[in-house]
Amino acid sequence: MEPADGRLPLTELARTRAREAAATSGRLDPTGPEDLAPNDRCLLGSRGSGGPGMLNNIYNSNYQFVQTPDALVIVVEMNYGVRVIPILRDRAAARAAHRPAVLNLWMGDSVAWWEGDALVVETVNVNPQQGRFGPIFLSPQGRVTERFTRASATQIAYEFRVEDQVHYTQPWRAEMVLEALDGQIYEYACHEGNYAMSGILAGARVKEAGGGAP
């Protein structure tokens, strides 16, 4: 872990963003779905589970990796996000394959290349809504570099490094070990049979009409 004290080296802007994200998550008076957090809208997995970098969630913290000679596909159990990452011959070729920044993809624009036994994944241009909400705050200038290394027959050593001078006073790095499990990833249908969104919005309309707190 870097920095050694384990604390994120947040700039004042990032601290402000963290407070705004916490307020958004607990909001009871949205005027519409757009006022709610991306995970409440089922656009993205919660607590940074989809990456980059990928963080542990309180549940549904599983991933499925499908690797071919040309691509790595990561299926994220939480909200069933999918990252399709092309694998190029080296870092220069990979960086040249980044797509236009205007696309602003959820979970960013990722490319990969091999460095010895490590598969290196570089991600830029994370969607601004995701970058502002966190928990890993990223500006349009932000860059996340992930490394996947086979540690044993059942383990992958995973680490990532975040560089973004807008939100952090220095680059920072984290790591963990991914353990293999038997079984498969099942679809996570976020809004299927889920009344949270309609309940939040209906409660806000009642509050507006003078009906008190929902």
Side-chain angles (χ1 to χ4, degrees), residues 29-150:
D29 59 347
T31 57
E34 293 78 9
D35 289 340
L36 298 173
N39 55 283
D40 286 335
R41 297 164 61 194
C42 293
L43 298 173
L44 199 66
S46 59
R47 298 173 182 85
S49 53
M54 299 186 300
L55 302 176
N56 286 326
N57 212 320
I58 57 175
Y59 65 102
N60 289 348
S61 296
N62 298 310
Y63 302 90
Q64 180 180 21
F65 296 89
V66 180
Q67 181 184 327
T68 73
D70 302 315
L72 170 68
V73 178
I74 304 176
V75 179
V76 184
E77 183 179 26
M78 176 57 81
N79 206 39
Y80 209 68
V82 179
R83 300 173 67 188
V84 180
I85 305 167
I87 301 175
L88 286 302
R89 67 177 183 275
D90 54 32
R91 180 171 62 179
R95 287 184 166 175
H98 276 304
R99 285 166 280 191
V102 71
L103 293 179
N104 290 329
L105 302 172
W106 292 111
M107 296 182 287
D109 174 21
S110 300
V111 295
W113 65 91
W114 287 100
E115 290 183 0
D117 293 334
L119 184 63
V120 182
V121 177
E122 179 183 83
T123 303
V124 296
N125 301 324
V126 165
N127 184 285
Q129 292 185 64
Q130 178 182 352
R132 284 193 299 269
F133 188 74
I136 298 178
F137 301 100
L138 291 168
S139 73
Q141 295 77 42
R143 183 187 309 271
V144 181
T145 304
E146 301 164 280
R147 298 178 68 91
F148 299 84
T149 307
R150 174 66 74 177

Side-chain angles (χ1 to χ4, degrees), residues 3-34:
D5 63 6
R7 298 174 66 89
L8 289 180
L10 300 176
T11 63
E12 191 55 42
L13 174 62
R15 296 180 191 280
T16 299
R17 292 265 163 89
R19 291 190 291 267
E20 291 173 348
T24 299
S25 293
R27 192 166 178 184
L28 298 177
D29 59 347
T31 57
E34 293 78 9

